[in-house]
Each structure stands twice: as C-alpha cells, then as structure tokens.
Amino acid sequence: VSTQSTWENKLNRLNPQGARQLVMESSAREAIQHAKEEFFEGDEDSSLQIKLTQSKLLRKKAEEDAKLLENRIKLLQLEEKRAMKKIEETRKKAREIMLLKNRNQEVQRQKEEWRSARIEEEIKRNEMNKAIRDQLKTSVENNRSSYLRKLKQEVDSIRREKQVFTSYYTLSFGRTTRRHSSTIKSVKR
C-alpha cells in the first residue's frame, strides 16, 4: 500500500500542463529527461513495470507535443511564405500600375504637345491668311483707286476734248443746228 501511495503521490505531482509548458519552453528531450528524473527519484519500492509504462506515456506525450510544435512552426512558416507571396504580388501590381500611370501621363503629355503645336500652327496660318487678305485688300483698293483715277483722267480728257470740239464747232459754224445739238447733248450724257 505504501508503494502504491508513493507512486500515486508522484503521479499526482506530475502535472500534464506543467509537462506541456516544459515542452514549449525547452526541447522535447529535456522534457523527457525531467519526467524520468521525477518518476525515478527515490522510488525503489514501485514496480519497474509501472515506471516503464509511465515513462513511455510521458515520452509519447512529449513526442506528440514536439510534433504539434513542429507542425505549428511549419504552418507558421507556410503562412509567412503565403503572406510574403501576397506582398510581392501586391508590390508587382503596384509597380505595374505606376508604369501604366506613367505611360498614360506620357501619352497625355504627347497629346497635349501635339494639340499645342496644332493650335500654334493654326494661329500662324490664320495670321498668314489675315496678312494675305490685308495685302489683297490693299492691293484691290490700290488697283481700284488707280483704276478710278485713270477713269477720271479719261473722263476729264474726254470732257476737255468735247469742250474743245464744242468750242471749235460753235466758232466754226456759229450756231448749232437742231440735228447737231441733239448729237452734242447725247455726247454730254
């Protein structure tokens, strides 16, 4: 009975949460070593079979905990890789967006330059056309005034000739006949 109670006391002292904490704080081997030390410490009366079974259970539990930790670490590493992949994809998309934005700005700038050049060209063309129109207008006015001057000179010349002719005719014949006066009047008109 005393060996059994001693074994139960030792078993009760061994806390499963404490074993898990040991596994998390240290490696699996240290947890197994700690469990062995606690089980085998000064207990010579207990049966070796119970100790061996408990030892196997503790070792198995420690190995399971170590495996769980290993799996958790692998999961975290996998999540980190996925996160890094998403971050890299986001960076790549951001670069592509920036390149597209820069390209669009360059195209817009070129279009604006082309429009400006077209507007300047149109302004120059309009100025040139205005200059040509002004020149033509001046030329037409000069030609018109020249033509009117020439016409006036011809009219004045004809009038003088008519006066000379009329005065010569009145001096030569002294009087005008009805037939001649109608001719003279039609010439005056």
Side-chain angles (χ1 to χ4, degrees):
V1 176
S2 67
T3 56
Q4 200 173 30
S5 65
T6 307
W7 177 78
E8 286 176 351
N9 287 337
K10 287 186 178 186
L11 189 59
N12 286 335
R13 282 188 300 173
L14 185 62
N15 187 353
Q17 288 179 344
R20 273 193 210 136
Q21 187 176 4
L22 281 175
V23 169
M24 292 182 140
E25 291 175 0
S26 63
S27 70
R29 287 188 181 147
E30 290 175 351
I32 292 171
Q33 184 64 32
H34 178 71
K36 282 181 183 178
E37 287 174 4
E38 222 173 276
F39 256 90
F40 292 118
E41 181 181 287
D43 190 12
E44 296 170 8
D45 297 342
S46 359
S47 82
L48 191 57
Q49 184 64 28
I50 293 173
K51 289 181 182 182
L52 184 60
T53 304
Q54 291 299 321
S55 167
K56 285 181 182 180
L57 287 175
L58 285 175
R59 183 180 53 80
K60 189 174 183 180
K61 179 71 174 160
E63 286 175 356
E64 287 175 1
D65 288 343
K67 187 70 172 172
L68 286 173
L69 286 173
E70 185 180 331
N71 289 342
R72 180 68 180 148
I73 289 171
K74 286 180 182 179
L75 263 174
L76 290 173
Q77 288 173 342
L78 185 63
E79 285 180 23
E80 182 183 16
K81 284 180 183 178
R82 287 180 188 156
M84 293 304 291
K85 185 177 179 181
K86 284 186 179 183
I87 289 170
E88 190 56 39
E89 287 175 3
T90 305
R91 285 181 182 158
K92 183 179 176 183
K93 285 180 182 178
R95 281 191 296 268
E96 289 173 359
I97 289 170
M98 290 302 293
L99 286 173
L100 185 62
K101 183 179 177 182
N102 289 340
R103 191 176 329 135
N104 287 343
Q105 286 176 346
E106 181 64 23
V107 167
Q108 190 65 26
R109 185 189 60 78
Q110 288 175 352
K111 284 182 180 179
E112 191 61 36
E113 285 178 2
W114 182 79
R115 280 189 209 122
S116 296
R118 296 283 297 182
I119 288 171
E120 286 179 20
E121 185 178 304
E122 188 69 27
I123 289 171
K124 286 180 183 179
R125 195 173 326 137
N126 287 342
E127 288 174 356
M128 189 184 316
N129 288 342
K130 186 178 183 232
I132 291 171
R133 278 193 307 266
D134 290 345
Q135 189 179 19
L136 284 174
K137 186 177 178 183
T138 305
S139 175
V140 166
E141 286 177 6
N142 288 341
N143 288 341
R144 184 175 179 200
S145 63
S146 172
Y147 175 75
L148 288 176
R149 230 185 352 260
K150 201 182 224 183
L151 189 60
K152 188 177 179 185
Q153 287 173 354
E154 287 180 17
V155 167
D156 287 343
S157 171
I158 291 173
R159 279 186 185 158
R160 275 190 298 256
E161 286 177 11
K162 182 181 170 188
Q163 282 177 355
V164 169
F165 178 71
T166 308
S167 57
Y168 173 74
Y169 187 73
T170 50
L171 285 177
S172 300
F173 296 110
R175 58 184 166 110
T176 58
T177 61
R178 192 172 225 204
R179 189 170 140 203
H180 290 298
S181 66
S182 66
T183 308
I184 294 173
K185 285 181 185 177
S186 66
V187 171
K188 284 184 182 179
R189 288 185 200 163

